[in-house]
Amino acid sequence: GKTETLTRRVARAVAEGARPASVLVLTFSNKAARELLERLRGLNCGGVEVRTFHGFSLRLLRRFGDEANLGRDFVILGDSQQKALVKKCCQEITRDEDENDVRRAWALIKRARSRGVSSNDLDGSVGAIFRLYRLKLRAMRAVDFDDVVDAAAFACSQQGRCGAFVRSRYTQGFVDEWQDTSRNQLALLASIFAGDRAPLTVVGDDDQAIYGWRDALPAAFDAFRRVFEGASVLPLTRNYRSGGHVVAAARAVVRKVAGRVDKDLWTARSDGEPVAVLRVEGGPQAEARVVARRIQRLLSKCRPKDVAVLCRSASPALRLVEKRLTELHIKCRVVGGQRFFERPVVHAALSYLRLARNELDDAAAETVLLQRPGLGPKTLDRIRSDLPLLGACRAALESSLNEKTRTAINDVLSALDRIHDTLHTSPRPLRSALKLLDPLIIPPAQEPGDEGVDGEKAKKRRGERAVAVDLLEQLRRLAAQKEDESTENEGPSLLREFLDTCALDAGDGDDDSDEVSLTTIHRAKGLEWPHVLLVRANDG
């Protein structure tokens, strides 16, 4: 009942005279924001501003970015681009290319940032990598996903135009899923609502705070009470979603967590089906077969997306279930695998668009250049100079390059010129610009020398080409949707909006595909399915 409580309080505020545009509702995912917006429209509160923290922050920075030392034309790096940049910094600082060391450095940097530790406060190689990472971001006129909220919080806290704007515009604030709040999100809210500025209502579940989702504060509710002194606390003990058996089982599990405040949860719903425990002999392989057959029976009365298989950790058990479901021709996916925007074809297309918008974006330049035949990492290393990578490539054309490398660079530069022309002349600039990239990104049906390729390899190549065509068409549909929805008329402005949307969606990770979800309990937080199977639930 948390979200229902929140939306009813918003509706009450509007009914009592609050101007809808002055009411701000924030949440953590695009899916949650869409659900809140839909509920509020049903309560005649359509004018209320509902956004994710990152979406709200980005909107402020596009208007007041100069007050956060960014300007307005910065680009946003997603997770994969951030990791690639950290890897490059590791190579330059430590000459180390070991993936485990890169992951460790990235994890330490993220942990430091979530605790408000600056790059200058870190010693050793990790501090040096963090400082170089910051320098490279600045040179690219870029921010990473985590920077967006931090920068907005800084701009709002100053006595400038941004701070004046938010404090005069928003007279009431509401936040869903408070237990997921991070340090920088709390700072953003404090700059708008703390003190006597405006009332703020939050809802959440402290029992869910054990997950530390997206660097969430370990004691978010205590932090709220410190920042917003005198806050009233109202326990919500009724469970509206689950039957009596599920509520009783959940209470029995969570009651053993040390240090929590026990809540007398109850439900008005019937007990429903008991929690079924299936004892399977034969280990994980046998368990996967049983689960797959159980799902096959369930699908006679529900859709694949209504079913989830959960496991405590990302163990091979989920892959075994995936294998068995695939053998039964049941669509499924292991959540946490490669997302749409991380697929190489989609990533390459967006890199061309990012580079067309900002030629200082070395991460995008490296992606598109390394895709071309004749350009490998060693060749790029020889070309690099003090110039941005694309500028260094232009300068290299004046020197002695072999024909293959020269052709590869010219292919990329010509494509960027055509994208620029299309953005300024086409009535559908985004879709038309993406269509230009087909010959550069979609793998050919046949390569030179393929005459002797066996049937299996030829079939695999055709399959890869079909997947690439489908992914690019999905991306073009998203671009067309942005063209239809946007109030912008000019191609470059549309491109900026589209890239912002893609960056936010990539960080959010929502997916509404009609497939059985195979995921960890950790990743399942906040989601729901009518049918859930928990595997490897062994004693201990």
Side-chain angles (χ1 to χ4, degrees):
K2 301 191 303 294
T3 303
E4 180 73 7
T5 299
L6 189 79
T7 52
R8 291 289 176 176
R9 286 185 72 93
V10 173
R12 179 178 172 181
V14 172
E16 291 179 350
R19 191 167 53 88
S22 71
V23 177
L24 176 64
V25 181
L26 294 175
T27 188
F28 293 85
S29 72
N30 291 320
K31 186 176 182 179
R34 288 192 295 269
E35 182 187 339
L36 280 167
L37 196 55
E38 191 175 319
R39 289 198 191 194
L40 288 170
R41 283 173 178 159
L43 296 171
N44 298 316
C45 298
V48 168
E49 187 169 344
V50 181
R51 298 192 184 279
T52 65
F53 272 98
H54 286 85
F56 174 70
S57 299
L58 182 57
R59 189 175 176 87
L60 288 178
L61 293 175
R62 287 299 180 206
R63 185 169 177 178
F64 303 107
D66 52 326
E67 295 188 23
N69 304 313
L70 287 176
R72 299 181 195 178
D73 288 328
F74 58 88
V75 295
I76 305 170
L77 299 191
D79 268 356
S80 58
Q81 291 101 36
Q82 293 172 46
K83 288 171 188 170
L85 189 57
V86 169
K87 182 176 181 179
K88 190 171 294 299
C89 294
C90 286
Q91 290 167 351
E92 292 185 29
I93 296 294
T94 65
R95 308 295 175 192
D96 190 353
E97 297 188 20
D98 184 273
E99 287 294 334
N100 290 326
D101 290 340
V102 172
R103 276 197 294 271
R104 177 178 170 276
W106 179 229
L108 289 171
I109 288 170
K110 284 182 75 70
R111 187 186 306 165
R113 294 175 66 179
S114 71
R115 296 174 178 175
V117 178
S118 76
S119 58
N120 293 324
D121 295 329
L122 283 179
D123 298 327
S125 60
V126 173
I129 291 166
F130 193 2
R131 287 187 285 277
L132 181 59
Y133 175 75
R134 283 292 195 201
L135 287 172
K136 286 185 179 292
L137 281 178
R138 197 173 304 132
M140 293 161 56
R141 288 211 312 260
V143 295
D144 62 28
F145 198 67
D146 295 322
D147 275 332
V148 173
V149 179
D150 246 343
F154 175 78
C156 288
S157 68
Q158 305 304 298
Q159 299 301 314
R161 291 177 300 118
C162 183
F165 169 79
V166 294
R167 287 189 282 275
S168 63
R169 178 182 175 98
Y170 300 112
T171 60
Q172 292 201 47
F174 298 84
V175 181
D176 198 13
E177 304 292 358
W178 179 259
Q179 74 279 347
D180 294 332
T181 308
S182 65
R183 176 198 58 81
N184 53 6
Q185 289 159 350
L186 178 61
L188 175 66
L189 291 166
S191 67
I192 303 172
F193 298 108
D196 297 324
R197 290 170 183 154
L200 176 66
T201 300
V202 306
V203 296
D205 180 1
D206 53 348
D207 284 332
Q208 294 181 39
I210 60 173
Y211 293 97
W213 188 80
R214 264 206 202 287
D215 303 320
L217 290 165
F221 291 90
D222 290 340
F224 183 87
R225 293 187 189 97
R226 285 197 304 273
V227 174
F228 301 94
E229 294 179 2
S232 301
V233 180
L234 306 174
L236 305 175
T237 57
R238 180 177 176 181
N239 184 302
Y240 290 84
R241 183 173 294 151
S242 305
H245 287 306
V246 170
V247 170
R251 281 199 71 194
V253 171
V254 81
R255 189 182 284 123
K256 298 185 179 183
V257 176
R260 68 178 287 273
V261 178
D262 192 35
K263 292 182 285 292
D264 189 18
L265 296 180
W266 63 281
T267 179
R269 299 185 66 171
S270 64
D271 284 345
E273 292 183 35
V275 176
V277 179
L278 301 178
R279 299 187 183 278
V280 180
E281 300 293 336
Q285 292 276 6
E287 185 180 55
R289 280 195 298 273
V290 170
V291 167
R293 288 195 209 105
R294 173 67 64 108
I295 291 172
Q296 190 177 37
R297 291 198 295 273
L298 282 173
L299 293 182
S300 64
K301 58 183 180 182
C302 70
R303 303 285 297 274
K305 67 180 180 182
D306 295 331
V307 182
V309 179
L310 307 185
C311 191
R312 180 172 174 236
S313 63
S315 70
L318 290 180
R319 290 295 177 190
L320 289 175
V321 174
E322 179 188 35
K323 181 173 181 285
R324 295 301 179 190
L325 289 175
T326 303
E327 289 170 357
L328 295 174
H329 306 290
I330 295 171
K331 289 185 176 181
C332 63
R333 67 188 178 104
V334 177
V335 179
Q338 208 169 39
R339 298 172 181 169
F340 174 75
F341 290 104
E342 293 173 352
R343 302 289 289 268
V345 169
V346 176
H347 180 53
L350 291 176
S351 293
Y352 271 103
L353 296 186
R354 284 170 48 200
L355 199 54
R357 182 165 169 260
N358 174 15
E359 292 199 354
L360 301 179
D361 190 341
D362 279 5
E366 187 166 317
T367 296
V368 301
L369 288 164
L370 289 177
Q371 270 218 323
R372 307 308 303 150
L375 276 174
K378 290 182 180 178
T379 305
L380 279 190
D381 285 342
R382 288 196 298 270
I383 290 174
R384 290 181 199 275
S385 66
D386 292 335
L387 296 170
L389 183 53
L390 198 65
C393 287
R394 282 200 174 95
L397 290 174
E398 306 299 323
S399 62
S400 55
L401 293 174
N402 66 53
E403 196 56 38
K404 207 170 181 181
T405 301
R406 186 179 296 277
T407 300
I409 293 174
N410 278 323
D411 283 347
V412 171
L413 295 177
S414 297
L416 293 174
D417 286 342
R418 291 196 300 274
I419 291 171
H420 280 296
D421 291 342
T422 300
L423 288 173
H424 287 92
T425 59
S426 173
R428 305 283 285 185
L430 299 179
R431 192 172 174 87
S432 300
L434 285 169
K435 190 67 181 172
L436 291 172
L437 299 175
D438 282 5
L440 290 168
I441 295 176
I442 295 175
Q446 189 172 355
E447 294 276 12
D450 269 1
E451 293 76 15
V453 169
D454 63 45
E456 198 58 40
K457 285 185 178 177
K459 182 179 178 182
K460 182 182 178 184
R461 181 162 285 161
R462 287 195 300 272
E464 289 171 349
R465 179 179 171 84
V467 168
V469 169
D470 180 59
L471 288 171
L472 284 177
E473 184 52 39
Q474 287 183 55
L475 188 60
R476 282 194 288 270
R477 284 199 294 271
L478 291 175
Q481 184 179 342
K482 174 56 68 177
E483 289 169 338
D484 293 337
E485 292 174 352
S486 178
T487 56
E488 295 286 355
N489 296 317
E490 296 182 356
S493 298
L494 265 173
L495 176 60
R496 186 184 74 182
E497 271 195 16
F498 179 60
L499 291 175
D500 283 351
T501 300
C502 292
L504 292 175
D505 285 349
D508 186 39
D510 280 343
D511 195 328
D512 293 323
S513 53
D514 190 17
E515 299 167 304
V516 175
S517 295
L518 312 177
T519 186
T520 62
I521 297 172
H522 183 110
R523 285 184 177 275
K525 192 181 83 65
L527 304 176
E528 58 184 276
W529 297 270
H531 306 281
V532 176
L533 295 93
L534 178 66
V535 298
R536 307 306 297 150
N538 300 2
D539 287 344

